[in-house]
Amino acid sequence: QVQLEESGGGLVQAGGSLRLSCAASGRTFSNNAMGWFRQAPGKEREFVAVITSNRRYTLYADSVKGRFTLSRDNAKNTVYLQMNSLKPEDTAVYYCVAHNGGSFYYTSSYDNWGQGTQVTVSS
């Protein structure tokens, strides 16, 4: 069974940092672009960042550009999202995703999702 398991969420003050991890099991995702979406209460799920399989390209939402850094270790089948200078508006459930084709910005382009990890940023 294919699984994506997120970890590293929690409560942090504004300006602080968190590092999310996503461990994949069941099969290798080394040939998939991997990324993160997030969903805040009462809002639609939104794209955060994606990294290509060869790590050559990363793409970030404008709202996190310059603050978040996405990386991956294909040998460990793991993806990392380093989040710095966190803001209260970053509060959301963060989902790890595996890309299966199509635009990186659409949820329909990802066929594997983790259960999500809560990130709460206090002001």
Side-chain angles (χ1 to χ4, degrees), residues 98-111:
H99 184 252
N100 72 323
S103 170
F104 288 134
Y105 294 102
Y106 299 153
T107 58
S108 59
S109 299
Y110 300 84
D111 58 354

Side-chain angles (χ1 to χ4, degrees), residues 8-78:
L11 174 64
V12 64
Q13 288 189 333
S17 299
L18 283 174
R19 188 193 194 206
L20 304 185
S21 298
C22 171
S25 62
R27 71 168 177 90
T28 179
F29 286 92
S30 59
N31 294 322
N32 294 78
M34 300 289 293
W36 293 84
F37 276 69
R38 67 185 182 186
Q39 187 167 21
K43 295 188 176 182
E44 292 188 354
R45 204 165 287 191
E46 65 174 1
F47 169 82
V48 175
V50 67
I51 184 168
T52 55
S53 57
N54 60 9
R55 297 176 292 183
R56 187 172 297 177
Y57 300 107
T58 52
L59 183 64
Y60 298 95
D62 288 343
S63 58
V64 307
K65 200 173 296 183
R67 300 186 298 120
F68 290 13
T69 302
L70 182 58
S71 61
R72 66 188 295 166
D73 185 336
N74 287 339
K76 295 183 178 180
N77 229 16
T78 301

Side-chain angles (χ1 to χ4, degrees), residues 7-9 18-22 36 79-81 83 94 117 119:
S7 61
L18 283 174
R19 188 193 194 206
L20 304 185
S21 298
C22 171
W36 293 84
V79 177
Y80 306 98
L81 184 66
M83 306 186 296
Y94 283 71
T117 185
V119 171

